[in-house]
Short mmCIF file of all heavy atoms in Angstrom, two decimals:
data_model
loop_
_atom_site.label_atom_id
_atom_site.label_comp_id
_atom_site.label_asym_id
_atom_site.label_seq_id
_atom_site.Cartn_x
_atom_site.Cartn_y
_atom_site.Cartn_z
N GLN U 459 92.74 139.02 184.02
CA GLN U 459 91.28 138.67 184.37
C GLN U 459 90.54 138.41 183.07
O GLN U 459 90.57 139.12 182.11
CB GLN U 459 90.67 139.81 185.10
CG GLN U 459 89.24 139.63 185.39
CD GLN U 459 88.54 140.72 186.18
OE1 GLN U 459 89.20 141.42 186.94
NE2 GLN U 459 87.41 140.88 186.11
N TYR U 460 89.76 137.31 183.04
CA TYR U 460 89.03 136.92 181.86
C TYR U 460 87.59 137.62 181.96
O TYR U 460 87.01 137.50 183.03
CB TYR U 460 88.95 135.45 181.70
CG TYR U 460 87.93 135.15 180.61
CD1 TYR U 460 88.35 135.09 179.29
CD2 TYR U 460 86.55 134.80 180.86
CE1 TYR U 460 87.46 134.82 178.21
CE2 TYR U 460 85.73 134.49 179.89
CZ TYR U 460 86.21 134.54 178.58
OH TYR U 460 85.31 134.24 177.53
N THR U 461 87.12 138.12 180.91
CA THR U 461 85.77 138.50 180.74
C THR U 461 85.38 138.23 179.32
O THR U 461 86.21 138.08 178.53
CB THR U 461 85.52 140.02 181.01
OG1 THR U 461 86.32 140.80 179.96
CG2 THR U 461 86.02 140.53 182.41
N ALA U 462 84.12 138.00 179.14
CA ALA U 462 83.68 137.65 177.80
C ALA U 462 83.94 138.72 176.77
O ALA U 462 84.02 138.45 175.55
CB ALA U 462 82.14 137.34 177.86
N SER U 463 84.07 139.98 177.27
CA SER U 463 84.36 140.99 176.26
C SER U 463 85.76 141.12 175.90
O SER U 463 86.19 141.84 174.98
CB SER U 463 83.80 142.37 176.93
OG SER U 463 84.56 142.64 178.02
N ALA U 464 86.72 140.54 176.66
CA ALA U 464 88.19 140.54 176.34
C ALA U 464 88.34 139.79 175.01
O ALA U 464 87.73 138.69 174.84
CB ALA U 464 88.89 139.84 177.42
N PRO U 465 89.16 140.18 174.14
CA PRO U 465 89.42 139.51 172.96
C PRO U 465 90.21 138.24 173.21
O PRO U 465 91.01 138.13 174.08
CB PRO U 465 90.23 140.51 172.11
CG PRO U 465 90.88 141.41 173.11
CD PRO U 465 89.92 141.43 174.26
N ALA U 466 89.97 137.14 172.29
CA ALA U 466 90.64 135.98 172.45
C ALA U 466 92.09 136.16 171.81
O ALA U 466 92.20 137.05 170.96
CB ALA U 466 89.96 134.83 171.71
N ALA U 467 93.08 135.41 172.29
CA ALA U 467 94.39 135.54 171.71
C ALA U 467 94.25 135.13 170.23
O ALA U 467 93.37 134.37 169.72
CB ALA U 467 95.36 134.67 172.45
N ALA U 468 95.19 135.66 169.44
CA ALA U 468 95.20 135.40 167.99
C ALA U 468 95.07 133.92 167.67
O ALA U 468 95.91 133.05 168.29
CB ALA U 468 96.44 135.95 167.31
N GLY U 469 94.14 133.50 166.83
CA GLY U 469 94.10 132.22 166.48
C GLY U 469 93.33 131.19 167.43
O GLY U 469 93.15 130.13 167.26
N LEU U 470 92.82 131.75 168.53
CA LEU U 470 92.11 130.98 169.49
C LEU U 470 90.72 131.49 169.58
O LEU U 470 90.31 132.62 169.28
CB LEU U 470 92.78 131.15 170.87
CG LEU U 470 94.24 130.64 171.07
CD1 LEU U 470 94.72 130.92 172.47
CD2 LEU U 470 94.39 129.18 170.73
N SER U 471 89.82 130.59 170.05
CA SER U 471 88.41 130.90 170.20
C SER U 471 88.10 130.87 171.74
O SER U 471 88.73 130.25 172.56
CB SER U 471 87.54 129.76 169.58
OG SER U 471 87.82 129.75 168.20
N LYS U 472 87.02 131.56 172.08
CA LYS U 472 86.56 131.62 173.49
C LYS U 472 85.44 130.54 173.61
O LYS U 472 84.60 130.46 172.81
CB LYS U 472 85.96 132.96 173.89
CG LYS U 472 87.10 134.01 173.89
CD LYS U 472 86.60 135.42 174.42
CE LYS U 472 85.78 136.15 173.46
NZ LYS U 472 85.37 137.49 173.82
N ALA U 473 85.52 129.84 174.79
CA ALA U 473 84.55 128.73 174.96
C ALA U 473 84.37 128.64 176.49
O ALA U 473 85.20 128.87 177.36
CB ALA U 473 85.03 127.42 174.30
N VAL U 474 83.18 128.03 176.87
CA VAL U 474 82.84 127.75 178.19
C VAL U 474 82.36 126.29 178.14
O VAL U 474 81.57 125.88 177.32
CB VAL U 474 81.84 128.60 178.84
CG1 VAL U 474 81.21 128.12 180.10
CG2 VAL U 474 82.24 129.96 178.87
N VAL U 475 82.78 125.44 179.07
CA VAL U 475 82.30 124.03 179.24
C VAL U 475 81.47 123.98 180.54
O VAL U 475 82.06 124.37 181.56
CB VAL U 475 83.48 123.06 179.30
CG1 VAL U 475 82.92 121.67 179.38
CG2 VAL U 475 84.36 123.07 178.04
N VAL U 476 80.28 123.59 180.41
CA VAL U 476 79.33 123.48 181.56
C VAL U 476 78.95 122.09 181.88
O VAL U 476 78.52 121.32 180.95
CB VAL U 476 78.07 124.44 181.27
CG1 VAL U 476 77.16 124.26 182.44
CG2 VAL U 476 78.42 125.77 180.89
N PHE U 477 79.27 121.64 183.04
CA PHE U 477 78.83 120.28 183.52
C PHE U 477 77.63 120.54 184.45
O PHE U 477 77.74 121.17 185.55
CB PHE U 477 80.01 119.63 184.31
CG PHE U 477 81.17 119.40 183.47
CD1 PHE U 477 82.16 120.24 183.34
CD2 PHE U 477 81.38 118.11 182.90
CE1 PHE U 477 83.25 120.09 182.50
CE2 PHE U 477 82.42 117.92 182.08
CZ PHE U 477 83.37 118.76 181.94
N THR U 478 76.47 119.96 184.02
CA THR U 478 75.21 120.28 184.80
C THR U 478 74.14 119.30 184.46
O THR U 478 74.28 118.61 183.35
CB THR U 478 74.74 121.67 184.40
OG1 THR U 478 73.53 122.02 185.14
CG2 THR U 478 74.51 121.82 182.90
N ASP U 479 73.10 119.27 185.23
CA ASP U 479 71.86 118.50 184.93
C ASP U 479 70.91 119.38 184.06
O ASP U 479 69.90 118.88 183.52
CB ASP U 479 71.19 118.04 186.15
CG ASP U 479 70.72 119.06 187.06
OD1 ASP U 479 70.85 120.26 186.76
OD2 ASP U 479 70.23 118.72 188.15
N GLY U 480 71.26 120.66 183.92
CA GLY U 480 70.49 121.61 183.21
C GLY U 480 69.26 122.19 183.86
O GLY U 480 68.52 122.96 183.33
N GLN U 481 69.08 121.79 185.10
CA GLN U 481 67.92 122.25 185.97
C GLN U 481 68.20 123.66 186.47
O GLN U 481 69.19 123.81 187.26
CB GLN U 481 67.62 121.31 187.04
CG GLN U 481 67.37 119.84 186.63
CD GLN U 481 66.19 119.77 185.65
OE1 GLN U 481 65.15 120.38 185.82
NE2 GLN U 481 66.40 118.90 184.65
N ASP U 482 67.55 124.63 186.06
CA ASP U 482 67.83 125.97 186.39
C ASP U 482 67.34 126.17 187.85
O ASP U 482 66.10 126.00 188.17
CB ASP U 482 67.11 127.00 185.50
CG ASP U 482 67.66 128.42 185.73
OD1 ASP U 482 67.85 128.87 186.78
OD2 ASP U 482 67.81 129.07 184.64
N THR U 483 68.20 126.71 188.76
CA THR U 483 67.76 126.87 190.22
C THR U 483 67.84 128.41 190.47
O THR U 483 67.57 128.77 191.61
CB THR U 483 68.67 126.21 191.11
OG1 THR U 483 70.03 126.62 190.90
CG2 THR U 483 68.48 124.66 190.85
N ILE U 484 67.97 129.21 189.46
CA ILE U 484 68.12 130.68 189.69
C ILE U 484 66.92 131.39 189.17
O ILE U 484 66.30 132.20 189.89
CB ILE U 484 69.40 131.23 189.03
CG1 ILE U 484 70.69 130.52 189.53
CG2 ILE U 484 69.49 132.78 189.26
CD1 ILE U 484 70.95 130.73 191.09
N CYS U 485 66.55 131.15 187.96
CA CYS U 485 65.41 131.99 187.29
C CYS U 485 64.12 131.39 187.76
O CYS U 485 63.93 130.12 187.99
CB CYS U 485 65.41 131.79 185.77
SG CYS U 485 66.80 132.67 185.03
N PRO U 486 63.13 132.22 187.92
CA PRO U 486 61.71 131.77 188.21
C PRO U 486 61.18 130.91 187.12
O PRO U 486 61.56 131.15 185.87
CB PRO U 486 60.95 133.08 188.37
CG PRO U 486 61.97 134.19 188.44
CD PRO U 486 63.16 133.66 187.79
N PRO U 487 60.47 129.85 187.35
CA PRO U 487 59.92 129.04 186.33
C PRO U 487 59.25 129.72 185.15
O PRO U 487 59.45 129.34 184.04
CB PRO U 487 58.96 128.09 187.09
CG PRO U 487 59.48 128.07 188.44
CD PRO U 487 59.98 129.49 188.66
N SER U 488 58.62 130.85 185.39
CA SER U 488 57.93 131.53 184.41
C SER U 488 58.93 132.35 183.59
O SER U 488 58.53 132.78 182.39
CB SER U 488 56.94 132.60 184.98
OG SER U 488 57.60 133.60 185.73
N GLN U 489 60.23 132.36 183.83
CA GLN U 489 61.13 133.16 183.07
C GLN U 489 62.36 132.32 182.56
O GLN U 489 63.32 132.82 182.13
CB GLN U 489 61.67 134.30 183.92
CG GLN U 489 60.65 135.35 184.18
CD GLN U 489 61.19 136.57 184.76
OE1 GLN U 489 62.36 136.74 184.93
NE2 GLN U 489 60.26 137.41 185.27
N LEU U 490 62.12 130.95 182.61
CA LEU U 490 63.31 130.05 182.21
C LEU U 490 63.72 130.28 180.72
O LEU U 490 64.85 130.34 180.48
CB LEU U 490 62.89 128.62 182.43
CG LEU U 490 62.78 128.18 183.83
CD1 LEU U 490 62.24 126.72 183.90
CD2 LEU U 490 64.08 128.35 184.58
N VAL U 491 62.71 130.41 179.77
CA VAL U 491 63.08 130.63 178.47
C VAL U 491 63.81 131.92 178.27
O VAL U 491 64.85 132.10 177.57
CB VAL U 491 61.78 130.56 177.57
CG1 VAL U 491 62.15 130.99 176.16
CG2 VAL U 491 61.21 129.12 177.60
N THR U 492 63.28 133.08 178.89
CA THR U 492 63.93 134.27 178.86
C THR U 492 65.33 134.31 179.38
O THR U 492 66.23 134.90 178.73
CB THR U 492 63.14 135.43 179.50
OG1 THR U 492 61.77 135.42 179.04
CG2 THR U 492 63.73 136.78 179.49
N CYS U 493 65.59 133.63 180.48
CA CYS U 493 66.89 133.61 181.10
C CYS U 493 67.77 132.81 180.16
O CYS U 493 68.97 133.22 179.95
CB CYS U 493 66.83 132.91 182.43
SG CYS U 493 66.11 133.87 183.75
N ARG U 494 67.39 131.75 179.62
CA ARG U 494 68.23 130.86 178.68
C ARG U 494 68.54 131.73 177.35
O ARG U 494 69.71 131.81 176.94
CB ARG U 494 67.58 129.66 178.28
CG ARG U 494 68.46 128.78 177.45
CD ARG U 494 67.86 127.36 177.24
NE ARG U 494 66.46 127.27 176.89
CZ ARG U 494 65.47 126.90 177.65
NH1 ARG U 494 65.61 126.58 178.99
NH2 ARG U 494 64.17 126.90 177.24
N ASN U 495 67.55 132.44 176.87
CA ASN U 495 67.74 133.28 175.66
C ASN U 495 68.77 134.36 175.95
O ASN U 495 69.64 134.78 175.13
CB ASN U 495 66.44 133.78 175.15
CG ASN U 495 65.71 132.71 174.50
OD1 ASN U 495 66.15 131.69 174.02
ND2 ASN U 495 64.36 133.01 174.30
N ASN U 496 68.66 135.02 177.11
CA ASN U 496 69.64 135.94 177.61
C ASN U 496 71.09 135.46 177.67
O ASN U 496 72.04 136.11 177.18
CB ASN U 496 69.21 136.63 178.94
CG ASN U 496 68.00 137.60 178.89
OD1 ASN U 496 67.57 137.95 177.68
ND2 ASN U 496 67.50 137.88 180.00
N SER U 497 71.23 134.30 178.17
CA SER U 497 72.51 133.69 178.23
C SER U 497 73.05 133.41 176.87
O SER U 497 74.30 133.66 176.57
CB SER U 497 72.51 132.35 179.04
OG SER U 497 72.09 132.55 180.38
N ILE U 498 72.25 133.05 175.97
CA ILE U 498 72.59 132.80 174.57
C ILE U 498 73.04 134.01 173.91
O ILE U 498 74.12 134.05 173.24
CB ILE U 498 71.50 132.02 173.78
CG1 ILE U 498 71.28 130.59 174.28
CG2 ILE U 498 71.80 132.07 172.24
CD1 ILE U 498 70.03 130.04 173.74
N THR U 499 72.30 135.09 174.17
CA THR U 499 72.63 136.40 173.49
C THR U 499 73.94 136.85 174.02
O THR U 499 74.76 137.37 173.27
CB THR U 499 71.45 137.40 173.76
OG1 THR U 499 70.39 136.95 173.18
CG2 THR U 499 71.79 138.75 173.24
N LEU U 500 74.13 136.73 175.35
CA LEU U 500 75.44 137.26 175.93
C LEU U 500 76.60 136.50 175.39
O LEU U 500 77.65 137.04 175.07
CB LEU U 500 75.41 137.12 177.37
CG LEU U 500 74.51 138.12 178.21
CD1 LEU U 500 74.41 137.81 179.67
CD2 LEU U 500 75.15 139.55 178.17
N ALA U 501 76.44 135.22 175.26
CA ALA U 501 77.53 134.35 174.78
C ALA U 501 77.90 134.71 173.30
O ALA U 501 79.01 134.83 172.84
CB ALA U 501 77.10 132.90 174.88
N LYS U 502 76.77 134.88 172.44
CA LYS U 502 77.00 135.17 171.07
C LYS U 502 77.63 136.53 170.87
O LYS U 502 78.51 136.58 170.06
CB LYS U 502 75.71 135.16 170.35
CG LYS U 502 75.14 133.64 170.15
CD LYS U 502 73.72 133.57 169.61
CE LYS U 502 73.70 133.71 168.19
NZ LYS U 502 72.37 133.43 167.66
N ASN U 503 77.11 137.44 171.66
CA ASN U 503 77.69 138.88 171.54
C ASN U 503 79.17 138.86 171.93
O ASN U 503 79.98 139.74 171.46
CB ASN U 503 76.94 139.90 172.33
CG ASN U 503 75.51 140.09 171.75
OD1 ASN U 503 75.30 139.79 170.61
ND2 ASN U 503 74.73 140.66 172.55
N GLY U 504 79.59 138.03 172.88
CA GLY U 504 80.95 137.94 173.36
C GLY U 504 81.77 136.99 172.53
O GLY U 504 82.95 136.77 172.84
N GLY U 505 81.24 136.35 171.48
CA GLY U 505 81.95 135.38 170.73
C GLY U 505 82.33 134.11 171.51
O GLY U 505 83.39 133.57 171.26
N VAL U 506 81.54 133.80 172.39
CA VAL U 506 81.77 132.63 173.28
C VAL U 506 80.91 131.38 172.91
O VAL U 506 79.75 131.56 172.84
CB VAL U 506 81.54 132.93 174.84
CG1 VAL U 506 81.78 131.74 175.66
CG2 VAL U 506 82.41 134.11 175.22
N SER U 507 81.53 130.28 172.57
CA SER U 507 80.77 129.03 172.35
C SER U 507 80.64 128.29 173.69
O SER U 507 81.48 128.23 174.54
CB SER U 507 81.60 128.14 171.40
OG SER U 507 81.75 128.72 170.20
N ILE U 508 79.41 127.81 173.93
CA ILE U 508 79.09 127.04 175.11
C ILE U 508 78.89 125.60 174.81
O ILE U 508 78.14 125.16 173.83
CB ILE U 508 77.79 127.59 175.72
CG1 ILE U 508 77.90 129.03 176.14
CG2 ILE U 508 77.46 126.73 177.05
CD1 ILE U 508 76.66 129.66 176.66
N PHE U 509 79.81 124.82 175.53
CA PHE U 509 79.76 123.32 175.38
C PHE U 509 79.16 122.75 176.66
O PHE U 509 79.58 123.13 177.76
CB PHE U 509 81.16 122.77 175.17
CG PHE U 509 81.63 123.20 173.95
CD1 PHE U 509 82.36 124.39 173.74
CD2 PHE U 509 81.69 122.38 172.73
CE1 PHE U 509 82.95 124.82 172.57
CE2 PHE U 509 82.16 122.79 171.58
CZ PHE U 509 82.81 124.03 171.45
N THR U 510 78.09 121.90 176.51
CA THR U 510 77.45 121.38 177.69
C THR U 510 77.53 119.99 177.83
O THR U 510 77.48 119.27 176.89
CB THR U 510 75.83 121.80 177.73
OG1 THR U 510 75.31 121.29 176.59
CG2 THR U 510 75.67 123.28 177.71
N VAL U 511 77.86 119.58 179.07
CA VAL U 511 77.83 118.07 179.38
C VAL U 511 76.77 117.86 180.41
O VAL U 511 76.82 118.35 181.54
CB VAL U 511 79.24 117.65 179.97
CG1 VAL U 511 79.26 116.19 180.20
CG2 VAL U 511 80.36 118.07 178.96
N GLY U 512 75.73 117.09 180.01
CA GLY U 512 74.59 116.79 180.87
C GLY U 512 74.96 115.65 181.91
O GLY U 512 75.57 114.62 181.45
N LEU U 513 74.78 115.90 183.15
CA LEU U 513 75.13 114.93 184.06
C LEU U 513 73.92 114.54 184.94
O LEU U 513 73.05 115.38 185.26
CB LEU U 513 76.11 115.50 185.18
CG LEU U 513 77.54 115.94 184.55
CD1 LEU U 513 78.29 116.59 185.70
CD2 LEU U 513 78.17 114.77 184.04
N GLY U 514 73.71 113.18 185.33
CA GLY U 514 72.60 112.89 186.17
C GLY U 514 71.48 112.04 185.45
O GLY U 514 71.52 112.02 184.23
N ALA U 515 70.53 111.72 186.14
CA ALA U 515 69.46 110.91 185.50
C ALA U 515 68.40 111.73 184.90
O ALA U 515 67.61 111.23 184.10
CB ALA U 515 68.87 109.97 186.71
N GLU U 516 68.29 113.00 185.31
CA GLU U 516 67.14 113.87 184.78
C GLU U 516 67.78 115.09 184.05
O GLU U 516 67.59 116.22 184.56
CB GLU U 516 66.18 114.17 185.92
CG GLU U 516 65.42 112.96 186.50
CD GLU U 516 64.45 113.34 187.54
OE1 GLU U 516 63.89 114.46 187.40
OE2 GLU U 516 64.23 112.55 188.39
N VAL U 517 68.58 114.86 183.06
CA VAL U 517 69.09 115.96 182.31
C VAL U 517 68.15 116.66 181.43
O VAL U 517 67.35 116.03 180.81
CB VAL U 517 70.29 115.45 181.45
CG1 VAL U 517 70.94 116.53 180.57
CG2 VAL U 517 71.49 114.82 182.31
N ASP U 518 68.15 117.96 181.52
CA ASP U 518 67.34 118.80 180.64
C ASP U 518 67.93 118.91 179.24
O ASP U 518 68.60 120.03 178.94
CB ASP U 518 67.00 120.17 181.23
CG ASP U 518 66.04 120.97 180.47
OD1 ASP U 518 65.73 120.58 179.35
OD2 ASP U 518 65.63 122.07 180.96
N THR U 519 67.90 117.91 178.52
CA THR U 519 68.58 117.77 177.24
C THR U 519 68.14 118.88 176.31
O THR U 519 69.01 119.51 175.58
CB THR U 519 68.40 116.39 176.62
OG1 THR U 519 68.91 115.54 177.51
CG2 THR U 519 69.20 116.23 175.32
N GLY U 520 66.88 119.23 176.20
CA GLY U 520 66.46 120.18 175.33
C GLY U 520 67.02 121.48 175.57
O GLY U 520 67.50 122.23 174.61
N SER U 521 67.04 122.02 176.79
CA SER U 521 67.58 123.30 177.14
C SER U 521 69.07 123.41 176.97
O SER U 521 69.54 124.29 176.29
CB SER U 521 67.28 123.56 178.64
OG SER U 521 65.99 123.75 178.81
N LEU U 522 69.79 122.22 177.31
CA LEU U 522 71.27 122.22 177.11
C LEU U 522 71.62 122.15 175.64
O LEU U 522 72.62 122.76 175.27
CB LEU U 522 71.87 121.11 177.92
CG LEU U 522 71.67 121.25 179.40
CD1 LEU U 522 72.26 119.94 180.04
CD2 LEU U 522 72.37 122.46 179.98
N THR U 523 70.89 121.52 174.93
CA THR U 523 71.05 121.35 173.47
C THR U 523 70.83 122.73 172.83
O THR U 523 71.74 123.25 171.98
CB THR U 523 70.22 120.36 172.81
OG1 THR U 523 70.58 119.15 173.26
CG2 THR U 523 70.45 120.29 171.27
N GLN U 524 69.85 123.43 173.21
CA GLN U 524 69.60 124.83 172.70
C GLN U 524 70.72 125.78 173.04
O GLN U 524 71.22 126.53 172.22
CB GLN U 524 68.29 125.40 173.14
CG GLN U 524 68.00 126.76 172.58
CD GLN U 524 66.78 127.41 173.24
OE1 GLN U 524 66.21 126.95 174.26
NE2 GLN U 524 66.34 128.44 172.71
N LEU U 525 71.13 125.69 174.23
CA LEU U 525 72.16 126.63 174.79
C LEU U 525 73.46 126.46 174.03
O LEU U 525 74.15 127.34 173.58
CB LEU U 525 72.40 126.37 176.24
CG LEU U 525 73.40 127.28 177.00
CD1 LEU U 525 72.87 128.66 177.02
CD2 LEU U 525 73.53 126.79 178.49
N SER U 526 73.80 125.11 173.83
CA SER U 526 75.04 124.85 173.06
C SER U 526 75.03 125.03 171.62
O SER U 526 75.85 125.71 171.08
CB SER U 526 75.57 123.37 173.37
OG SER U 526 74.61 122.47 173.08
N SER U 527 73.99 124.53 171.01
CA SER U 527 73.97 124.66 169.51
C SER U 527 73.75 126.09 169.04
O SER U 527 74.13 126.38 167.95
CB SER U 527 72.77 123.76 169.04
OG SER U 527 71.52 124.16 169.36
N SER U 528 73.09 126.90 169.82
CA SER U 528 72.84 128.33 169.51
C SER U 528 74.07 129.12 169.60
O SER U 528 74.06 130.23 169.01
CB SER U 528 71.78 128.91 170.44
OG SER U 528 70.58 128.26 170.18
N THR U 529 75.20 128.68 170.31
CA THR U 529 76.31 129.40 170.42
C THR U 529 77.56 128.81 169.80
O THR U 529 78.67 129.33 169.99
CB THR U 529 76.59 129.51 171.97
OG1 THR U 529 76.87 128.32 172.52
CG2 THR U 529 75.58 130.27 172.68
N GLY U 530 77.35 127.77 168.98
CA GLY U 530 78.41 127.13 168.17
C GLY U 530 79.09 126.01 169.02
O GLY U 530 80.14 125.47 168.56
N GLY U 531 78.44 125.56 170.06
CA GLY U 531 79.03 124.47 170.85
C GLY U 531 78.28 123.18 170.57
O GLY U 531 77.44 123.11 169.59
N ILE U 532 78.39 122.19 171.41
CA ILE U 532 77.77 121.00 171.29
C ILE U 532 77.32 120.55 172.66
O ILE U 532 77.90 120.95 173.68
CB ILE U 532 78.55 119.75 170.62
CG1 ILE U 532 79.82 119.55 171.41
CG2 ILE U 532 78.94 120.14 169.21
CD1 ILE U 532 80.52 118.36 170.92
N HIS U 533 76.33 119.63 172.68
CA HIS U 533 75.81 119.04 173.96
C HIS U 533 76.17 117.59 173.95
O HIS U 533 75.93 116.84 173.00
CB HIS U 533 74.37 119.24 174.16
CG HIS U 533 73.81 118.50 175.23
ND1 HIS U 533 74.04 118.82 176.47
CD2 HIS U 533 72.82 117.54 175.32
CE1 HIS U 533 73.38 118.01 177.31
NE2 HIS U 533 72.69 117.24 176.60
N LEU U 534 76.77 117.11 175.10
CA LEU U 534 77.03 115.72 175.38
C LEU U 534 76.37 115.29 176.67
O LEU U 534 76.10 116.18 177.42
CB LEU U 534 78.51 115.50 175.38
CG LEU U 534 79.35 115.95 174.11
CD1 LEU U 534 80.86 115.97 174.49
CD2 LEU U 534 79.08 114.99 173.05
N VAL U 535 76.16 113.98 176.81
CA VAL U 535 75.58 113.46 177.98
C VAL U 535 76.54 112.35 178.55
O VAL U 535 77.01 111.54 177.75
CB VAL U 535 74.16 112.83 177.78
CG1 VAL U 535 73.66 112.19 179.10
CG2 VAL U 535 73.22 113.95 177.25
N ALA U 536 76.90 112.55 179.84
CA ALA U 536 77.62 111.52 180.55
C ALA U 536 76.68 110.75 181.40
O ALA U 536 76.11 111.30 182.28
CB ALA U 536 78.66 112.21 181.41
N SER U 537 76.53 109.50 181.05
CA SER U 537 75.66 108.72 181.84
C SER U 537 76.14 108.37 183.27
O SER U 537 75.43 107.84 184.12
CB SER U 537 75.23 107.44 181.01
OG SER U 537 76.41 106.71 180.71
N ASN U 538 77.44 108.52 183.50
CA ASN U 538 77.95 108.28 184.77
C ASN U 538 79.20 109.16 184.97
O ASN U 538 79.83 109.70 184.09
CB ASN U 538 78.32 106.74 185.01
CG ASN U 538 79.42 106.27 184.04
OD1 ASN U 538 80.57 106.75 184.11
ND2 ASN U 538 79.10 105.21 183.20
N PRO U 539 79.62 109.45 186.26
CA PRO U 539 80.70 110.28 186.54
C PRO U 539 82.05 109.87 185.87
O PRO U 539 82.93 110.81 185.66
CB PRO U 539 80.76 110.38 188.00
CG PRO U 539 79.51 109.90 188.51
CD PRO U 539 79.02 109.01 187.46
N GLN U 540 82.16 108.64 185.70
CA GLN U 540 83.52 108.11 185.11
C GLN U 540 83.78 108.54 183.67
O GLN U 540 84.80 108.59 183.20
CB GLN U 540 83.57 106.64 185.27
CG GLN U 540 83.71 106.18 186.74
CD GLN U 540 82.55 106.23 187.54
OE1 GLN U 540 81.46 106.16 187.05
NE2 GLN U 540 82.65 106.54 188.78
N GLN U 541 82.69 108.87 183.06
CA GLN U 541 82.83 109.28 181.61
C GLN U 541 83.44 110.64 181.44
O GLN U 541 83.89 111.17 180.60
CB GLN U 541 81.47 109.29 180.87
CG GLN U 541 80.98 107.95 180.67
CD GLN U 541 79.70 107.88 179.79
OE1 GLN U 541 78.65 108.65 180.09
NE2 GLN U 541 79.69 107.09 178.70
#
């Protein structure tokens, strides 16, 4: 079973790849920054890099870039599903 607290195998890094439009549907609008910062803290504490791929016409590039760059990942945008 994988958990963020489990050590990575020797020579390997832990990473998560997220395909999303970046629109948060869980956190209340007044707490979006706090929720994103909590996710960043959890990933950093667990040694997990987050790589984000923005999908759709209305990608929240700013949030996804912050999430990925703050954890050692990168943010990419796919302008269509075939990419």
Side-chain angles (χ1 to χ4, degrees):
Q459 176 179 333
Y460 173 81
T461 65
S463 62
L470 300 179
S471 300
K472 294 188 280 186
V474 172
V475 179
V476 180
F477 294 86
T478 180
D479 61 6
Q481 305 301 317
D482 194 321
T483 58
I484 302 297
C485 288
S488 63
Q489 295 187 8
L490 289 176
V491 172
T492 300
C493 289
R494 185 170 49 252
N495 288 339
N496 288 344
S497 296
I498 290 168
T499 299
L500 287 170
K502 289 170 84 171
N503 289 346
V506 178
S507 297
I508 300 174
F509 295 83
T510 57
V511 179
L513 300 174
E516 296 185 29
V517 175
D518 185 350
T519 302
S521 295
L522 295 178
T523 298
Q524 180 187 12
L525 185 63
S526 58
S527 66
S528 296
T529 61
I532 60 170
H533 171 64
L534 302 169
V535 176
S537 57
N538 63 63
Q540 289 74 31
Q541 289 185 310

